[in-house]
Amino acid sequence: MDKFNDTVNISGHDDIYQMIVDLHADGNEEKSQKINAKLIIAMINQIGSEQIVKEIIEMVRLNEEKYNPRSSTH
Amino acid sequence: MTFSDIPKFKLKEYSKAPELSSKTIAHKPVIIVGSGPVGLAAALDLAQKGHEVTILTAFDFIALGSKAICFAKQSLDIFDRLGIGERIIEKGVIWNIGKLFWKDQTNPVFQFDMLPVTNQKNPGFVNIQQYYVEDYLVDALEDMDNVDIRWGHSISDIEVRNDGARLDVDTRDGSYQIDADYVLACDGFRSKIRDSMGLDFEGRIFEDNFLIADIKFKGKAAEQRPSERWFWFDPPFCPGGTALLHKQPDDVWRLDFQLGWDIDREAVLKPENVEPYVKGMLGDDIEFEREWYSVYTFQCRRMNRFVHGPVIFVGDSAHLVSPFGARGANGGLSDAENIAWKLDLVMRGIAPRSLIESYNDERIMGADENIRNSSRSTDFMSPKNEQSLAFRNAVLELSNDYSFARPFINSGRLSTPTPYHDSPLSTVDNDEWDGGPKPGFPCVDAPVNDNEDSNWLLEKLGNDFKLLQFGGKAPESDLDVINIPIDSLAAQRYDAHHGATYLIRPDQVVAARWKEAQADDINGAYQRAIGAA
């Protein structure tokens, strides 16, 4: 079974981080949303496993909930 | 009741109910309420199985107008079984290819084939106006002695009783009551029966308006257009929206435009306002005539339960979907087929009454799949917030250059039969299989190559339980056996080239299968499939 690797799996982190920040350099919110969407869609295809994508989505959901919990009173 | 605002395809003759001149209340085995394709198909199925069928419909005509046009392969297989398949194929426009366009580009971003498995009798889809389907079903029903179609008889109330249901019926000559053991409510999304019983839908309503223009469009420009489903995202003639084009018989074309939620319905329908949309899609120099224009909105909702004692909801009365994916009429026809064989066995005393409950289980699976797919298509076409809009546009922009993004494009996932995972009627596999339809899955068609007249597997199935025997000899049972050679394409598609036995339900769904079947296995699986285990 495919499994999401939650340990370090690549090098060149500073370069990669900078490339992402540069992609969003013009500060246009709408454009940035679409750029991020394109990154996600391309990376999902590269990952090539529905199971791993599911695990990543779940990891993000839990992490987001931990640091930015939704208020319990709606 | 008059329906002066409804355009009519064909008038039908009202007849006075015999009950109006009788003091006793008649009792029928089964009454079908509604004369749409779903009610008529259920009626014909039951009538062909030998039952006395009464149809009550408020209309005394077959209605014209923009309704269902896309009939999927599984519906064509049902029509074949009911004997009207050839008429529908002959009249209809066959298509298998769908193309997706974006903005003003003339080359499609993506195209798909609706019949990825070739060598099957029926095509992926046939486009034909709903009124032709109704007309052919009515023709077949009118040929039968055990069918009573009562045109112009509208239901005003229903009372569910211990031994069936009592209907109050209004006609131009007065009102009468009639009893039935079973009532199939096929009376559409505004179902009077559902209202009278205080039942409702649950689910989402989408606030978006779509313009349908059915037009007559002939000449060279029309002839050059292939019979394919064309879909546009954000075309210049409908900025920010989507548009859809389908070819129908008689040179009629279905054009569909997304208008947004804030529109003036009356103004939109004026011919001078429709014309720019039509010409924008098909070309400025074309000539066309209006067949029918309408504006629709839609809902993706269903009833909590479809079976309420002796009253069974079938088709739009039980569930609604958006039109993208052709899941309305096709889903309804699958409902009709599912309930018809079960009611047949129950009314003949072969199966216990509880078999009807499996209609509730299985067709709720069908409705949920249709609702899920059509809601997702709608969310792709009309993104509900900035992020989903960003994703939608990201998919389209990437797809234009890269194939990897194209499968994300959702212009409607077109109707295919719903597999009944974990159906209570299925017997779970005990053997190892490398393919073939699993229990609960629809049979796949294939050539049989047995030198008989009918060379298609699906033509040999249906109407009753059948044993498909690939090679060898079927164990002793009361069921009809169909012997299939193991060197056929059919055997390949059923993972049966070393021999196998399949038990097939009357609706051409696999009930159970074995590599080496024993008589006890078959009997046990059959009992389970009729709800008796």
Side-chain angles (χ1 to χ4, degrees):
Chain A
M1 187 72 130
D2 300 327
K3 217 170 155 23
F4 164 53
N5 181 356
D6 63 0
T7 62
V8 176
N9 192 36
I10 197 171
S11 58
H13 293 84
D14 290 355
D15 289 342
I16 293 167
Y17 195 91
Q18 192 59 44
M19 282 191 284
I20 301 266
V21 171
D22 288 348
L23 251 185
H24 294 285
D26 80 355
N28 177 320
E29 189 69 28
E30 195 186 319
K31 227 178 139 179
S32 272
Q33 283 187 359
K34 206 165 63 197
I35 285 170
N36 280 340
K38 286 181 181 175
L39 287 172
I40 293 169
I41 291 160
M43 288 176 185
I44 283 174
N45 185 64
Q46 188 62 46
I47 291 166
S49 154
E50 186 181 349
Q51 176 58 30
I52 293 179
V53 171
K54 259 183 178 165
E55 287 181 33
I56 294 174
I57 288 171
E58 185 59 10
M59 178 274 292
V60 169
R61 197 184 63 76
L62 289 174
N63 185 262
E64 186 64 20
E65 220 160 70
K66 182 175 170 190
Y67 294 103
N68 305 284
R70 272 178 297 180
S71 73
S72 52
T73 53
H74 287 276
Chain B
M1 204 180 296
T2 60
F3 297 99
S4 52
D5 55 331
I6 299 179
K8 292 157 186 78
F9 170 69
K10 197 181 258 187
L11 297 179
K12 286 288 164 183
E13 204 174 326
Y14 159 83
S15 59
K16 194 175 166 183
E19 288 79 5
L20 285 170
S21 39
S22 156
K23 287 213 164 63
T24 55
I25 294 176
H27 190 106
K28 305 289 182 185
V30 56
I31 291 179
I32 286 155
V33 180
S35 55
V38 173
L40 295 171
L44 185 55
D45 215 340
L46 285 166
Q48 289 179 349
K49 289 177 162 92
H51 299 281
E52 180 196 349
V53 172
T54 308
I55 303 169
L56 301 179
T57 172
F59 293 166
D60 54 359
F61 53 86
I62 293 172
L64 208 74
S66 302
K67 293 192 282 188
I69 55 164
C70 297
F71 291 86
K73 183 186 172 302
Q74 70 270 23
S75 297
L76 300 171
D77 293 336
I78 294 173
F79 293 142
D80 264 346
R81 198 170 50 72
L82 296 177
I84 63 162
E86 277 170 25
R87 269 190 97 180
I88 289 192
I89 293 275
E90 197 173 306
K91 180 76 196 175
V93 174
I94 292 173
W95 65 275
N96 289 310
I97 301 290
K99 285 185 179 155
L100 297 165
F101 297 88
W102 182 46
K103 294 191 170 166
D104 59 351
Q105 292 182 184
T106 48
N107 289 326
V109 177
F110 186 38
Q111 73 173 59
F112 55 87
D113 188 342
M114 284 310 299
L115 198 67
V117 181
T118 52
N119 267 318
Q120 304 194 74
K121 183 186 177 193
N122 279 317
F125 271 91
V126 159
N127 284 358
I128 183 168
Q129 290 90 334
Q130 180 174 324
Y131 46 79
Y132 280 120
V133 173
E134 291 168 0
D135 193 34
Y136 300 165
L137 287 165
V138 168
D139 279 350
L141 284 160
E142 283 176 347
D143 276 347
M144 303 194 70
D145 296 333
N146 51 339
V147 175
D148 179 10
I149 313 185
R150 300 187 179 189
W151 303 97
H153 291 231
S154 70
I155 305 300
S156 64
D157 204 0
I158 183 168
E159 183 197 342
V160 176
R161 302 154 69 90
N162 286 337
D163 56 347
R166 174 162 294 176
L167 293 163
D168 288 340
V169 187
D170 290 341
T171 70
R172 68 190 65 157
D173 291 314
S175 302
Y176 68 94
Q177 292 189 311
I178 190 164
D179 289 349
D181 292 334
Y182 295 97
V183 172
L184 299 187
C186 309
D187 51 346
F189 83 101
R190 288 196 195 90
S191 171
K192 180 75 193 170
I193 293 185
R194 197 185 62 232
D195 283 352
S196 301
M197 290 174 68
L199 301 165
D200 202 358
F201 286 134
E202 297 166 2
R204 293 168 69 189
I205 297 171
F206 292 86
E207 287 186 2
D208 208 337
N209 294 284
F210 292 80
L211 165 68
I212 284 188
D214 279 338
I215 58 162
K216 274 234 176 201
F217 165 41
K218 288 195 233 182
K220 211 165 178 187
E223 282 160 24
Q224 284 166 351
R225 290 198 164 265
S227 17
E228 297 170 342
R229 177 188 195 260
W230 283 23
F231 192 96
W232 288 261
F233 287 99
D234 196 16
F237 53 83
C238 190
T242 59
L244 179 60
L245 174 68
H246 269 293
K247 187 180 184 181
Q248 304 176 55
D250 307 335
D251 302 306
V252 176
W253 295 71
R254 159 80 44 98
L255 286 62
D256 192 314
F257 304 92
Q258 184 186 17
L259 301 176
W261 59 274
D262 189 17
I263 59 155
D264 176 348
R265 281 177 156 240
E266 261 177 51
V268 160
L269 287 171
K270 288 191 176 145
E272 64 269 28
N273 293 333
V274 174
E275 190 175 316
Y277 282 106
V278 174
K279 293 201 160 175
M281 182 186 277
L282 298 175
D284 280 333
D285 49 351
I286 68 145
E287 282 183 33
F288 68 94
E289 286 165 43
R290 169 196 143 128
E291 169 105 347
W292 187 249
Y293 298 162
S294 59
V295 169
Y296 69 89
T297 58
F298 56 79
Q299 312 176 355
C300 292
R301 306 206 287 168
R302 70 163 168 87
M303 294 176 76
N304 188 34
R305 282 184 57 79
F306 299 171
V307 175
H308 290 264
V311 183
I312 300 148
F313 291 85
V314 188
D316 282 357
S317 69
H319 45 73
L320 294 173
V321 289
S322 83
F324 303 103
R327 290 168 180 274
N330 290 305
L333 288 164
S334 293
D335 288 355
E337 177 174 58
N338 192 288
I339 191 61
W341 73 264
K342 293 173 181 175
L343 204 51
D344 166 51
L345 291 184
V346 171
M347 291 197 296
R348 282 199 280 149
I350 293 170
R353 201 182 161 122
S354 58
L355 177 61
I356 292 170
E357 184 61 19
S358 73
Y359 165 79
N360 196 70
D361 298 327
E362 293 186 338
R363 290 316 301 163
I364 280 179
M365 286 184 224
D368 283 348
E369 181 181 281
N370 288 332
I371 287 171
R372 184 168 55 249
N373 276 291
S374 91
S375 302
R376 287 173 172 180
S377 304
T378 307
D379 284 340
F380 190 85
M381 287 179 228
S382 322
K384 298 292 176 292
N385 58 44
E386 276 177 37
Q387 275 296 346
S388 11
L389 182 66
F391 264 95
R392 204 282 298 271
N393 290 340
V395 165
L396 289 172
E397 289 178 15
L398 286 174
S399 295
N400 207 33
D401 294 320
Y402 300 101
S403 62
F404 76 82
R406 287 171 197 159
F408 281 111
I409 301 178
N410 190 341
S411 75
R413 302 290 184 208
L414 285 143
S415 180
T416 51
T418 304
Y420 302 131
H421 297 280
D422 309 320
S423 167
L425 306 186
S426 297
T427 298
V428 179
D429 280 342
N430 252 334
D431 303 323
E432 291 287 321
W433 295 84
D434 295 326
K438 294 179 212 161
F441 280 61
C443 285
V444 59
D445 202 5
V448 173
N449 304 327
D450 63 352
N451 299 320
E452 282 180 35
D453 291 345
S454 141
N455 194 36
W456 297 108
L457 181 61
L458 292 192
E459 284 186 342
K460 297 172 176 292
L461 300 172
N463 282 325
D464 222 331
F465 277 88
K466 300 271 162 72
L467 274 186
L468 269 184
Q469 181 64 39
F470 295 91
K473 194 172 176 306
E476 200 64 27
S477 81
D478 295 336
L479 300 166
D480 282 348
V481 178
I482 299 161
N483 287 296
I484 313 273
I486 51 170
D487 57 356
S488 60
L489 185 55
Q492 241 179 62
R493 288 188 177 162
Y494 284 74
D495 185 24
H497 36 284
H498 298 299
T501 309
Y502 277 69
L503 174 63
I504 312 294
R505 304 176 0 177
D507 54 356
Q508 306 185 339
V509 169
V510 174
R513 58 180 183 169
W514 305 268
K515 293 267 164 143
E516 281 177 49
Q518 309 298 323
D520 283 354
D521 297 334
I522 290 168
N523 188 47
Y526 173 74
Q527 293 299 327
R528 180 182 297 276
I530 63 165

